Each structure stands twice: as C-alpha cells, then as structure tokens.
C-alpha cells in the first residue's frame, strides 16, 4: 500500500503540492489534510527517490523535504541537478546514511557542507558515486574528516586519488567498507592501517596496468585478514602473466573470512587449478565472480562451469552454462562489459540449439530495458531474444514474459531506427506465428514501426520479413 501511495504521489505531484502564499519566499509546500501532518522517514525517502528516478526533482521541490514536513534518516539523491544552496535542507536532519550519486551541480565538498554537525557525527554510510571532486583535494579531505564515525564509503567513478585514500584512511579510522571502483587510485598500501577493521573492499576496474602495480595491490590485499567481501574485477582485454602471489591467495589461511570474491576479468591471471584450490581453501565462500575470463580456452570455460555444478551452494558468475550466465546478468546491472560479454556467450550457446529458460529470457529483457540507449547492448540483446524465443520455444513461454519480449523488441525498433542489423534481429523475433498470435501488444504500433523501417532501408531480407509480419498481423 505504501508503494502504491508513493507511485501515485510522484505521478500526480502537482495535485498534492502548492505554492505557499504567506511565506517570506515563495516555495512549494504539501497540501496536507490537516495541520501538523508530516511524512515519516521511509515513505518520505521513497518519494524523494521516485522523484529522482522520474527525473522531476528540482531545486524548488526540495523545500517539500524540509524538517517541517518530513523525517529523513537515509535519503537517496540520484542523477539530478540540484544546487548546494537548496541541499541545505538536509542540515536540519540527523542522517545516518546518505546516497548522493551523479549530482550535476554539487561537489563532494559542498555536499558534506550541507550536513549538520549531528549528521556529521552520526553518519555511518556515504555513497557519492560519480560526484565531482574539486581539483584542490584539501577541502575534500577536510570535509571527509568531519565524518569521524563513517563506516562505509563509496567514492567509485570519482577523481579520488591515492593521496586522497591515504588521507581518508587516517581521518576515518572506523571505516569497514570501501568502494574505490573506477577511480584514479593505483596504490592501496594505505589500507594496511585498516587491516584489522576493513571487511569489504570493492576495486572494480582500477587502472592497474603494470605487473609491479598488480603485485603490490595483491600483496596488500593478502594482509587485509578481516575481509569478507573482495572485488578485484576488471576488463578482460588480455591475458596477463600469472602473479606469484596467487599461490598465497589460494592457499589455506589466506583471507579466511572471505564470503564474496569477484575476480571477473581475471586480472591476477588465475589458472583453473588455482580456482579449484581457492574454493577448496575458502569454506565460507558464497559468491565467486569468474565471468569475462580472458583465456577463451575451452577446457577452462568448461572447467568453471563444472565447478558451478559441483558447488551449488556458491553463486558463480561464468561464461558458460545457464546458471552462471544468468547470475552474470542478474548480479552486474551496471557493469556493461560483463553484460555484453554474457549476451555474446548466450548467443553462442543458443545459436545451434534451443534453450527454454524463462528466467534467462527475463534477465536478458531486464538488462535491455535498463540499457535501452546503448546500441551495442541492444544489438546483442535482440539477437539473444530471437534465439530464446524462436521456433517452438515461444509456445511454451509464460504469456506475461512473451508480452515483455515483444514490448522490448518494439521498443528496440523505436530507439534504434538507424541500425540495420538490430532491426533485422527484431524482425526475426516478430516474424513468428506463435509470437504474434500469443502475445498481447498494439498491432497498430507494430505495423507502423515495421513500415517505417521498410521505407527507410532497401534491404531485401528486411522486406521479406516485414511483409511476413504484416501478413501474420492481418490474418
């Protein structure tokens, strides 16, 4: 019920707010049914997040989230353009968690300056992914230094440097979880000061090009004995020489508490035998990321798949097999390099045989919807959708899932009118009696999109499929 109310409020915002007539400065206020009414923290935070997702939150709406009208404990601001002056509305709250990602007008320093002293003392978690950091790093360090009780810090996709990390470690002695993915950091030796407290370290796609840098990073990681979560995933651009310290990583007693290990991309160059030893010597392991393996050798890919069957209690990501590929799609929503790789692998595995797997198709469609503006993703995705719905498979898919497949296919045509191969993939999916007769969709919309594509491109194969689609719809 709460979520239904939140959705209604955000869709009909103008009906539940009004401009204050007797305020010193004109501002928006809620149309509450009675005086002293207020919105408690959880629904207030949901409304705030929903406004961000709908891309309608702006400076003058932030007055709706003043302490006079709402409670806030763990607000989330994501991908919006709001100024630091209006973010000062946060100053009246005592916050425990704050997520402020991809803010277009606000830097890390100005964000922290908007917090009250009570929030600075109580804040446990701070996520500032893709938030600007000024070239002069000193204010950032001073600002972070206010957050003495901070335990979780996410500075991924920022200009956080090795120097910033060194200072942050000194100023934040209670830090237990750190995400420095896609930053400018290439030396994590400073984390040795947190060896007794750090339990989570995420380092996705750090720029660790040289062998010396990789060895130093791995040596440091091996000293962080309290780690439960470790992510050293990378791009799978090439095979690198195996590091000697891999023997220590896979040996008994190394990182004894580890439950989550993501080494997608395999930048430490583990061999299949290393992976086997690692699993055997880490009995607490619950998650293991082994996707985007640079070595495309068949015995290694098959070996990883066999390991996923041998250890069903461990969630494994991989490049072969339905379950590892499904896990790769569901656990990497914002990591396109692995999603693209998974699409490629699914396509290869289904090109010569049918795979009736509704969960896999649902995951593919979910990824496509999230990345609809990325043409390379949708090109690969439409090819996979065809393979997963062709022939008799479509007759056995749940109707709701088939409806989604057709909807995403039509959406792909709408968004990518200039890509011939992508359109052909979509036409292949639609050119099916089972699909078009079973699925529920707008025939008019489908015909318009097909005709638009046929008019734009003089391709004989598209014309044949287009005529067939129209014929099926007209029958």
């Amino acid at each position: 019920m709460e979520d239904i109310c939140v959705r209604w409020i955000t869709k009909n915002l103008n009906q539940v707010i009004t401009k204050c007539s007797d305020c010193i400065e004109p501002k928006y206020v809620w149309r509450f049914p009675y005086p002293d009414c207020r919105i408690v923290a959880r629904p207030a935070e949901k409304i705030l997040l929903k406004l961000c997702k709908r891309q309608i939150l702006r400076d003058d709406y932030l007055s709706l989230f003043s302490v006079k009208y709402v409670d806030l404990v763990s607000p989330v601001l994501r991908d919006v353009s709001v100024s630091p002056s209006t973010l000062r509305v946060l100053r009246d709250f005592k916050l425990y968690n704050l997520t402020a990602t991809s803010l277009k007008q606000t830097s890390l320093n100005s964000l922290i300056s908007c917090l009250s002293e009570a929030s600075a003392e109580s804040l446990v978690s701070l996520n500032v992914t893709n938030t600007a950091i000024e070239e002069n790093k000193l204010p950032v360090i001073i600002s972070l230094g206010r957050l003495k009780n901070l335990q979780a810090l996410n500075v991924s996709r920022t200009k956080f440097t090795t120097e910033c990390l060194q200072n942050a470690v000194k100023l934040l002695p209670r830090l237990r979880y750190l995400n420095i993915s896609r930053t400018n950091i290439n030396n994590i030796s400073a984390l040795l000061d947190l060896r007794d407290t750090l339990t989570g370290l995420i380092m996705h796609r750090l720029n660790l090009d040289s062998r010396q840098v990789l060895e130093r990073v791995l040596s440091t990681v091996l000293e962080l004995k309290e780690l439960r979560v470790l992510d050293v995933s990378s791009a799978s651009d090439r095979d690198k020489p195996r590091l000697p310290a891999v023997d220590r990583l896979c040996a008994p007693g190394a990182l004894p508490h580890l439950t989550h290990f993501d080494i997608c991309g395999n930048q430490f160059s583990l061999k299949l035998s290393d992976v086997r030893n690692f699993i055997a010597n880490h009995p607490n392991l619950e998650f293991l990321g082994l996707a985007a393996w640079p070595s495309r050798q068949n015995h290694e890919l098959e070996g990883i798949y066999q390991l996923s069957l041998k250890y069903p209690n461990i969630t494994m990501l991989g490049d072969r097999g339905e379950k590892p590929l499904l896990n790769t799609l569901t656990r990497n929503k914002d990591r396109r390099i692995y999603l693209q790789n998974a699409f490629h692998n699914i396509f290869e595995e289904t090109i010569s045989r049918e795979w009736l797997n509704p969960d896999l198709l649902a995951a593919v469609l979910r990824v496509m919807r999230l990345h609809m503006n990325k043409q390379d993703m949708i090109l690969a995705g439409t090819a996979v959708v065809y393979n997963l719905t062709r022939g008799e498979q479509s007759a056995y898919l749940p109707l709701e899932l088939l409806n989604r497949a057709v909807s995403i296919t039509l959406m792909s045509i709408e968004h990518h009118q200039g890509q011939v191969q992508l359109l052909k993939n979509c036409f292949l999916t639609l050119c099916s009696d089972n699909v078009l007769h079973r699925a529920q969709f707008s025939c008019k919309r489908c015909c318009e999109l097909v005709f638009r594509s046929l008019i734009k491109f003089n391709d004989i194969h598209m014309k044949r499929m287009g005529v067939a689609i129209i014929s099926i719809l007209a029958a």
Side-chain angles (χ1 to χ4, degrees):
M1 179 61 73
E2 183 177 274
D3 289 339
I4 292 172
C5 292
V6 167
R7 280 197 299 271
W8 189 91
I9 288 170
T10 53
K11 285 182 179 179
N12 303 276
L13 189 64
N14 289 332
Q15 297 182 38
V16 293
I17 65 174
T18 185
K19 271 284 180 76
C20 178
S21 57
D22 56 352
C23 299
I24 299 174
E25 293 182 9
K27 63 179 181 179
Y28 283 105
V29 296
W30 295 101
R31 294 177 184 264
F32 284 142
Y34 51 86
D36 300 324
C37 185
R38 62 188 296 104
I39 307 174
V40 295
R42 193 172 71 174
E45 289 162 3
K46 286 184 178 181
I47 292 170
L48 180 61
L49 178 57
K50 201 73 172 176
L51 291 175
C52 292
K53 287 182 176 179
R54 292 174 62 84
Q55 293 284 293
I56 55 178
L57 185 69
R58 56 183 200 238
D59 279 336
D60 50 356
Y61 284 165
L62 278 175
S63 61
L64 299 169
F65 297 92
S66 72
V67 72
K68 183 178 179 181
Y69 308 118
V70 303
D71 295 322
L72 294 176
V73 175
S74 304
V76 176
L77 292 158
R78 185 178 297 160
D79 196 23
V80 289
S81 183
V82 289
S83 63
S85 59
T86 55
L87 276 177
R88 288 181 189 141
V89 71
L90 299 175
R91 195 168 286 172
D92 296 324
F93 297 96
K94 183 178 181 179
L95 305 180
Y96 290 89
N97 306 283
L98 175 60
T99 297
T101 62
S102 301
L103 300 188
K104 297 177 178 64
Q105 297 183 46
T106 307
S107 67
L108 175 57
N109 187 44
S110 56
L111 174 69
I112 295 177
S113 71
C114 294
L115 302 181
S116 66
E117 283 304 317
S119 289
E121 291 179 10
S122 63
L123 204 68
V124 174
S125 168
L126 176 65
N127 180 353
V128 288
T129 297
N130 199 29
T131 295
I133 292 180
E134 299 89 340
E135 290 303 315
N136 177 9
K137 308 297 189 305
L138 185 61
V140 175
I141 301 307
I142 293 173
S143 296
L144 281 175
R146 292 179 61 204
L147 314 178
K148 295 295 185 185
N149 291 306
L150 198 68
Q151 295 181 27
L153 176 63
N154 185 342
V155 290
S156 58
R157 294 167 59 200
T158 68
K159 292 183 178 179
F160 216 70
T161 64
T162 300
E163 183 184 357
C164 288
L165 179 65
Q166 291 167 350
N167 289 310
V169 167
K170 293 174 185 175
L171 294 167
L172 305 172
R174 296 176 181 267
L175 212 55
R176 295 172 58 84
Y177 175 93
L178 181 63
N179 188 334
I180 53 174
S181 301
R182 299 180 70 176
T183 60
N184 297 327
I185 295 169
N186 60 13
N187 186 342
I188 62 167
S189 301
L191 296 180
L192 292 174
D193 290 345
L194 300 175
R195 72 182 81 202
D196 296 326
T197 55
L198 197 66
T199 59
L201 178 59
I202 312 297
M203 302 187 294
H204 171 63
R205 291 187 71 182
L206 283 191
N207 188 19
L208 309 175
D209 281 342
S210 73
R211 182 181 177 88
Q212 182 181 2
V213 170
L214 279 170
E215 287 178 338
R216 187 169 57 203
V217 166
L218 182 52
S219 296
T220 301
V221 164
L222 289 168
E223 297 298 318
L224 305 176
K225 303 293 187 183
E226 295 301 316
L227 282 180
R228 271 70 173 168
V229 175
L230 175 61
D231 184 339
V232 289
S233 54
S234 63
S236 60
D237 50 354
R238 65 184 186 275
D239 246 342
K240 300 173 183 175
R242 182 180 181 276
L243 299 179
V246 166
D247 290 331
R248 290 175 56 205
L249 174 67
C250 301
L255 305 177
H257 307 295
L258 207 61
T259 61
H260 178 119
F261 183 45
D262 194 339
I263 193 169
C264 290
N266 194 20
Q267 67 176 337
F268 295 152
S269 301
L270 275 68
K271 303 299 182 186
L272 182 59
S273 57
D274 295 324
V275 177
R276 289 196 185 102
N277 290 336
F278 184 87
I279 295 173
N281 293 323
H282 292 81
N284 298 320
L285 208 59
E286 299 172 2
F287 174 92
L288 185 58
L290 302 170
W293 220 240
S295 168
R296 300 294 298 174
Q297 295 181 27
N298 187 63
H299 80 279
E300 289 209 339
L301 299 184
E302 183 63 27
I304 290 172
Y305 173 55
Q306 292 302 323
L307 285 173
S308 73
L309 298 177
K310 184 178 179 180
Y311 297 95
N313 57 308
I314 301 176
T315 300
M316 286 195 201
L317 314 189
D319 297 323
R320 181 165 295 180
E322 293 185 42
K323 196 66 181 291
L325 286 168
L326 176 60
N327 290 337
T328 301
L329 292 178
T330 54
R331 299 294 289 259
N332 286 296
K333 292 179 182 177
D334 60 344
R335 296 183 176 183
R336 285 177 53 211
I337 55 171
Y338 304 142
L339 298 173
Q340 183 97 19
N341 188 70
F343 278 178
H344 172 76
N345 290 320
I346 295 169
F347 178 79
E348 286 202 333
E349 292 216 24
T350 56
I351 197 167
S352 58
R353 63 190 179 99
E354 293 186 354
W355 256 13
L356 183 63
N357 189 326
D359 291 338
L360 190 63
L361 177 58
V364 169
L365 296 175
R366 193 180 307 117
V367 169
M368 290 176 67
R369 182 175 56 81
L370 289 172
H371 299 274
M372 184 53 69
N373 293 326
K374 308 298 181 184
Q375 191 173 96
D376 54 345
M377 289 284 294
I378 302 305
L379 176 61
T382 51
V384 171
V385 169
Y386 168 63
N387 278 5
L388 294 177
T389 58
R390 68 183 178 186
E392 293 302 313
Q393 294 176 105
S394 57
Y396 300 102
L397 289 170
L399 182 58
E400 185 272 335
L401 182 59
L402 187 62
N403 290 342
R404 261 193 288 160
V406 173
S407 175
I408 291 292
T409 300
L410 295 178
M411 198 183 302
S412 300
I413 297 175
E414 281 180 326
H415 280 72
H416 301 283
Q417 280 286 308
Q419 227 293 345
V420 178
Q421 186 56 55
L422 189 153
L423 295 175
K424 285 183 179 179
N425 294 346
C426 295
F427 277 29
L428 281 167
T429 299
L430 296 174
C431 193
S432 161
D433 286 310
N434 274 333
V435 170
L436 294 182
H437 285 156
R438 284 193 69 215
Q440 298 167 355
F441 59 96
S442 168
C443 291
K444 179 185 176 184
R445 177 187 175 211
C446 183
C447 288
E448 287 176 348
L449 290 171
V450 170
F451 279 127
R452 195 183 305 165
S453 301
L454 293 179
I455 292 169
K456 190 168 185 177
F457 296 104
N458 186 25
D459 184 283
I460 187 65
H461 301 292
M462 281 183 66
K463 286 184 176 180
R464 286 173 180 168
M465 288 187 287
V467 169
I469 292 167
I470 300 300
S471 300
I472 295 170
L473 291 174

